[in-house]
């Protein structure tokens, strides 16, 4: 009774990880009566190819898998129990689903980052905007007096472009400290919003031979309250990241089928999932992807604010954005509203 009352999944296995016995929580999340079968292949049957290679050797391990389009986080602990009067032993293995805990931790962490960014952004914006406005104004005045074939024209044009880029970065930074304006809480169609985002990036995807598939898993007219234009911007930023990732991958792989899949489904919560078959995100930078101004892109025109801005837009509309990625296995971004 004590064994079965444990809320976490617990199983006893032999030294080869074949199941000897398991508690009720384990059976509820796996195939019925899975004794004499490998624990990992039974419990993670639909995602066994995603399991970390060292799962058999580590006593304690935390890992993430993508299961039925959902990101799941698990904590696993093995305890070795020697058998009396024998050289053999058994394992007691505990598997805990820590998805909710992990999501809450991430939300708290990202919220604190964005709050700090808002404070920094608002304090420096006015100091920067005044001299930047002067640079931009004088650059534009000089351009008006120059012929396009003047040797200095390109230099002045570069000054104007650079100043405008700085202006955009400052405006994005200020966006983290602004509250939503009145009248922005309008009902809008999620499917129409997705179609608008696809249309905006369509020129790029068509010229780069990137296929975007849009699939709706709901017969209902899915609506959400918020600012539709901002949500379009959030989706465009995510799609742009996929497009840029394909550009980087092309340098190392010429025979590449480039595909972005967008799925929307309703229910208790509305979900938009954007999945690509690009190079994925390396583990060493995965924890930094929401950091403002962090970017792995080699292009100097990318500020690294795209995903951070998308996260803030979704958060402002009462939602949550989560990224799941494995190197060489693509990236999946889920927006839950």
């Amino acid at each position: 009774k004590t064994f079965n009352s444990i809320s976490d999944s617990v199983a006893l296995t032999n030294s080869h990880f074949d199941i000897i016995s398991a508690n009720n929580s384990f059976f509820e999340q796996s195939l019925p009566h899975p004794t004499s079968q490998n624990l990992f292949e039974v419990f993670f049957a639909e995602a066994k190819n995603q399991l970390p290679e060292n799962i058999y050797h580590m006593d304690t391990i935390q890992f993430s898998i993508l299961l039925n389009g959902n990101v799941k986080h698990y904590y696993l602990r093995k305890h070795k129990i020697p058998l009396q009067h024998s050289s053999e032993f058994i394992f007691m293995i505990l598997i805990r689903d820590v998805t909710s805990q992990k999501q809450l931790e991430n939300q708290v962490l990202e919220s604190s980052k964005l709050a700090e960014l808002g404070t920094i952004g608002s304090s420096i914006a006015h100091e920067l905007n005044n001299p930047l406005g002067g640079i931009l104004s004088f650059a534009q005045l000089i351009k008006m007096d120059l012929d396009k074939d003047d040797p200095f024209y390109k230099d002045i044009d570069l000054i104007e472009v650079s100043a405008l880029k700085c202006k955009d970065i400052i405006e994005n930074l200020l966006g983290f400290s602004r509250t939503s304006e009145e009248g922005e809480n309008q009902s809008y169609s999620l499917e129409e919003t997705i179609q608008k985002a696809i249309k905006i990036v369509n020129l790029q995807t068509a010229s780069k031979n990137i296929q975007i598939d849009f699939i709706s898993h709901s017969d209902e007219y899915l609506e959400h309250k918020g600012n539709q234009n901002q949500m379009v911007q959030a989706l465009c930023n995510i799609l742009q990241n996929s497009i840029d990732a394909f550009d980087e991958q092309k340098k190392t792989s010429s025979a590449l089928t480039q595909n972005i899949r967008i799925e929307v489904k309703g229910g208790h919560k509305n979900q938009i999932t954007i999945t690509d078959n690009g190079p994925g995100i390396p583990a060493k930078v995965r924890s930094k992807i929401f950091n403002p101004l962090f970017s792995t892109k080699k292009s100097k025109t990318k500020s690294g604010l795209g995903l951070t801005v998308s996260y803030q837009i979704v958060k402002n509309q009462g939602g949550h954005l989560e990224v799941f990625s494995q190197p060489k296995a693509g990236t999946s971004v889920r927006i839950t509203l």
Side-chain angles (χ1 to χ4, degrees):
K1 287 182 179 179
T2 303
F3 188 55
N4 283 322
S5 67
I6 299 172
S7 59
D8 296 321
S9 300
V10 182
L12 299 176
T13 76
N14 61 20
S15 57
H16 301 293
F17 301 102
D18 296 325
I19 300 168
I20 300 170
S21 178
N23 69 349
N24 288 343
S25 295
F26 186 96
F27 286 115
E28 286 171 5
Q29 300 183 59
S30 65
L31 300 172
H33 310 296
T35 52
S36 302
Q37 297 181 50
N38 183 281
L39 175 140
F40 301 106
E41 293 183 2
V42 168
F43 196 85
F44 302 104
E46 297 179 14
K48 57 186 179 182
N49 294 332
Q50 299 179 43
L51 296 178
E53 295 178 1
N54 58 348
I55 195 168
Y56 286 92
H57 310 294
M58 299 290 288
D59 290 334
T60 304
I61 188 170
Q62 292 193 49
F63 57 94
S64 304
I65 58 174
L66 188 62
L67 193 62
N68 298 324
N70 295 311
V71 180
K72 303 286 284 182
H73 303 280
Y74 287 97
Y75 165 85
L76 185 145
R77 180 166 178 79
K78 295 200 300 283
H79 182 64
K80 190 174 179 180
I81 305 172
L83 297 176
Q84 288 186 348
H85 313 298
S86 172
S87 59
E88 293 294 315
F89 60 88
I90 62 173
F91 284 117
M92 182 178 74
I93 300 178
L94 177 144
I95 305 172
R96 179 176 297 156
D97 186 338
V98 294
T99 305
S100 298
Q101 177 187 334
K102 198 76 176 175
Q103 287 175 342
L104 185 60
E105 288 175 358
N106 288 339
Q107 287 176 31
V108 171
L109 180 63
E110 300 308 332
S111 295
S112 63
K113 285 181 186 175
L114 294 173
E116 186 175 348
L117 182 61
T119 304
I120 296 169
S122 59
S123 63
I124 67 172
H126 296 295
E127 297 295 329
L128 287 176
N129 270 333
N130 289 333
L132 194 59
I135 293 169
L136 188 57
S137 298
F138 283 111
Q140 289 171 342
L141 286 170
I142 295 169
K143 263 182 77 176
M144 289 169 63
D145 293 335
L146 292 177
D147 294 327
K148 287 192 176 181
D149 56 353
D150 190 286
F152 292 109
Y153 188 88
K154 286 185 178 180
D155 295 333
I156 300 301
D157 186 61
L158 183 60
I159 292 172
E160 182 189 14
V161 170
S162 300
L164 286 170
K165 182 172 181 290
C166 292
K167 179 174 172 287
D168 288 341
I169 290 173
I170 290 171
E171 286 181 356
N172 281 326
L173 286 170
L174 275 174
F176 296 109
S177 59
R178 290 185 185 133
T179 56
S180 297
E181 296 176 8
E182 291 183 8
E184 288 189 342
N185 262 349
Q186 307 271 335
S187 289
Y188 61 85
S189 162
L190 289 180
E191 295 190 11
E192 181 187 298
T193 304
I194 294 167
Q195 294 286 12
K196 282 186 175 182
I198 293 173
K199 193 172 181 180
I200 290 171
V201 300
N202 188 54
L203 188 62
Q204 284 192 76
T205 55
S207 65
K208 296 179 180 181
N209 201 27
I210 298 172
Q211 177 70 34
I212 296 184
D213 300 316
F214 173 43
I215 300 165
S216 176
H217 293 288
S218 178
D219 297 329
E220 303 172 13
Y221 184 76
L222 299 181
E223 286 193 340
H224 183 69
K225 272 194 172 183
N227 186 310
Q228 185 180 29
N229 290 333
Q230 286 187 0
M231 187 58 75
V232 170
Q233 181 192 349
L235 294 172
C236 285
N237 289 346
I238 296 166
L239 290 170
Q240 188 63 54
N241 278 351
S242 288
I243 294 167
D244 293 340
F246 283 130
D247 286 343
E248 290 297 319
Q249 192 177 34
K250 265 186 176 179
K251 296 173 184 177
T252 56
S253 175
S254 54
L256 178 68
T257 302
Q258 302 174 123
N259 184 270
I260 300 173
R261 182 186 179 97
I262 306 176
E263 298 178 81
V264 61
K265 62 181 180 180
H268 178 60
K269 295 179 180 178
N270 293 329
Q271 287 186 339
I272 301 171
T273 307
I274 302 173
T275 306
D276 67 45
N277 64 337
I281 303 170
K284 63 181 180 180
V285 301
R286 212 173 296 150
S287 61
K288 303 176 185 177
I289 57 175
F290 289 117
N291 287 7
L293 304 176
F294 172 80
S295 178
T296 58
K297 299 168 188 175
K298 295 178 181 177
S299 172
K300 293 180 180 179
T301 61
K302 309 296 181 182
S303 66
L305 276 168
L307 199 56
T308 315
V309 170
S310 295
Y311 184 95
Q312 180 66 25
I313 289 171
V314 173
K315 182 173 177 288
N316 286 345
Q317 300 203 25
H320 179 61
L321 185 150
E322 191 173 14
V323 178
F324 180 81
S325 183
Q326 295 284 4
K328 301 180 181 179
T331 299
S332 183
V333 179
R334 168 170 305 129
I335 296 171
T336 304
L337 300 167

